[in-house]
Amino acid sequence: MASRSQSLQLSGRRPPPHFFFLLLLPCLLISLPNQVLSRCLHTPIIFSFGDSNSDTGGLAAGLGFPVNFPNGRTFFRRSTGRLSDGRLIIDLLCQSLGANFLSPYLDSVKSNFSNGANFAIVGSSTLPKYVPFALNIQVMQFLHFKASLLDPTVAGPRNLINDDGFRNALYMFDIGQNDLADSFSKNLSYVQVVKRIPLIVAEIKLAIQVMHDQGGRKFWIHNTGPLGCLPQKLSLVPKKPGDLDPHGCLSAYNDAARLFNEGLRHLCQEMSSELKDSTIVYVDIFAIKYDLIANSVKYGFSSPLMACCGYGGPPYNYDIRVPCGQPGHQVYANTIVASQILSMDYSTPRVPFDFFCSK
């Protein structure tokens, strides 16, 4: 069975459809305030694990995959390897702390690891666990990164992050959507997809436990968004009467996402009870994004199920033959989600994002 990297090479460097998850979300055009006051008392250090929601250039650096313009056009004025027209949620959260953007772990040029590292890679999932760049592989990369950084015999920059830095860092996880999407794409039934959820959650639990064993005590966990509302899924999945919910999303996909999220929420509660020396924050990304679709008029956009970075026009503006980066598409911004995260209204427990660096 070919790995994701092999698949990219065999397919002429064109990734499978779920690689474009971020780019196929509805247009979100509300901006964060220009300045967000941070209470950090020391340098905020973040280690990020996940998929396209958080990848700040790992796919491009690790596989050489071209992430072309208009990605990056609205903020960076160039493509940076992010599957977005500008900043990702992780970028906006870093900015809220007055911190640098996280450098991809795999980027060998111009990386700055003084405030953490980003191990997230587009298309990543939890299973199978030894396929690049599964969550388990990202965890292994972190262990190598930490060991190398703290080893005085290893050549390279010194004093980037010390033991205290690793201990006081925030460990962020945003992964699971591709496990669900891959399962559905293999024509597994809803029941079969749901049966895989405990295995997915178990991998996330293991990753958190490893970080705790390494001294990490502060964790920030994003659940998965409404998979059934993605224009790509709506365009490619054959639909029968009754398959769509009142807002036009695929009910089975969203129901599976909700069950995964419920399992993830229980995991966070369970681990919070077990790891009493730690703070584990669960963030309901599904609720934020689904609210944007269910109440699209309130947020000022009229076609919440149309891909902004897509092609073909209504109803979904998606054509599998014309991926984002090719002529004839539109782009979007993703700042409203970060704004809602920073509000604390979707966090359990309800703590500010800068909690890990404000004490």
Side-chain angles (χ1 to χ4, degrees):
M1 179 177 178
S3 68
R4 278 186 171 81
S5 59
Q6 291 170 328
S7 297
L8 283 172
Q9 295 168 348
L10 293 174
S11 61
R13 298 165 69 89
R14 178 174 178 174
H18 67 259
F19 271 52
F20 295 100
F21 181 88
L22 258 178
L23 298 178
L24 298 175
L25 286 174
C27 303
L28 310 177
L29 301 175
I30 300 176
S31 298
L32 284 173
N34 290 329
Q35 294 182 340
V36 179
L37 296 179
S38 169
R39 302 175 302 160
C40 283
L41 300 178
H42 54 81
T43 300
I45 296 173
I46 299 174
F47 296 105
S48 172
F49 306 86
D51 49 37
S52 59
N53 290 315
S54 308
D55 184 352
T56 54
L59 176 69
L63 299 180
F65 182 79
V67 179
N68 298 321
F69 205 75
N71 292 295
R73 77 170 189 175
T74 64
F75 182 81
F76 300 99
R77 308 301 181 194
R78 60 184 176 84
S79 177
T80 62
R82 293 163 171 81
L83 295 191
S84 172
D85 67 320
R87 292 162 291 179
L88 303 179
I89 293 170
I90 183 67
D91 296 318
L92 294 159
L93 294 179
C94 284
Q95 282 192 308
S96 77
L97 304 173
N100 296 327
F101 297 136
L102 292 182
S103 294
Y105 167 72
L106 294 174
D107 195 349
S108 59
V109 180
K110 296 185 294 185
S111 290
N112 177 5
F113 298 124
S114 61
N115 66 307
N118 193 350
F119 299 88
I121 299 285
V122 171
S124 294
S125 56
T126 68
L127 296 169
K129 63 189 301 175
Y130 292 107
V131 173
F133 291 94
L135 178 58
N136 176 65
I137 298 295
Q138 295 179 28
V139 169
M140 292 169 63
Q141 290 174 326
F142 167 82
L143 295 175
H144 176 76
F145 173 82
K146 181 184 178 185
S148 298
L149 212 58
L150 297 181
D151 186 346
T153 67
V154 175
R158 302 260 63 89
N159 302 319
L160 285 180
I161 304 173
N162 58 22
D163 275 321
D164 285 340
F166 282 102
R167 189 177 306 110
N168 295 320
L170 183 68
Y171 295 84
M172 295 184 65
F173 295 87
D174 187 339
I175 198 164
Q177 68 185 27
N178 288 326
D179 289 276
L180 299 176
D182 287 346
S183 297
F184 278 114
S185 70
K186 294 172 182 174
N187 294 320
L188 296 184
S189 68
Y190 172 78
V191 172
Q192 290 173 315
V193 172
V194 168
K195 284 183 177 180
R196 291 175 55 84
I197 289 176
L199 301 176
I200 302 169
V201 174
E203 289 299 314
I204 297 173
K205 178 179 181 178
L206 179 60
I208 296 173
Q209 186 66 60
V210 170
M211 295 303 142
H212 184 270
D213 293 345
Q214 290 291 312
R217 295 296 183 266
K218 302 173 180 72
F219 303 91
W220 191 269
I221 317 296
H222 288 183
N223 72 12
T224 199
L227 188 64
C229 300
L230 297 181
Q232 178 233 45
K233 305 303 178 192
L234 289 164
S235 176
L236 296 179
V237 176
K239 296 177 286 295
K240 305 186 299 292
D243 284 350
L244 302 180
D245 71 11
H247 302 294
C249 303
L250 290 164
S251 296
Y253 282 56
N254 278 356
D255 288 345
R258 290 187 180 97
L259 285 175
F260 166 77
N261 291 341
E262 186 65 13
L264 191 61
R265 184 179 68 84
H266 281 300
L267 171 66
C268 292
Q269 292 176 335
E270 171 190 309
M271 298 197 77
S272 293
S273 297
E274 294 175 357
L275 309 177
K276 296 186 182 299
D277 59 350
S278 301
T279 301
I280 302 175
V281 182
Y282 170 84
V283 185
D284 194 351
I285 300 297
F286 186 104
I288 295 173
K289 292 181 177 177
Y290 196 68
D291 179 58
L292 294 172
I293 294 166
N295 298 291
S296 57
V297 174
K298 180 179 76 172
Y299 290 102
F301 54 98
S302 58
S303 302
L305 299 180
M306 281 185 61
C308 287
C309 191
Y311 180 82
Y316 304 122
N317 194 38
Y318 177 78
D319 187 328
I320 193 172
R321 299 165 297 181
V322 188
C324 185
Q326 300 299 319
H329 51 68
Q330 299 171 315
V331 292
Y332 82 99
N334 195 26
T335 54
I336 188 173
V337 179
S339 181
Q340 296 286 53
I341 292 171
L342 292 172
S343 75
M344 297 186 289
D345 291 340
Y346 298 88
S347 299
T348 305
R350 186 183 168 92
V351 297
F353 181 66
D354 61 4
F355 80 96
F356 71 100
C357 58
S358 59
K359 295 181 181 179

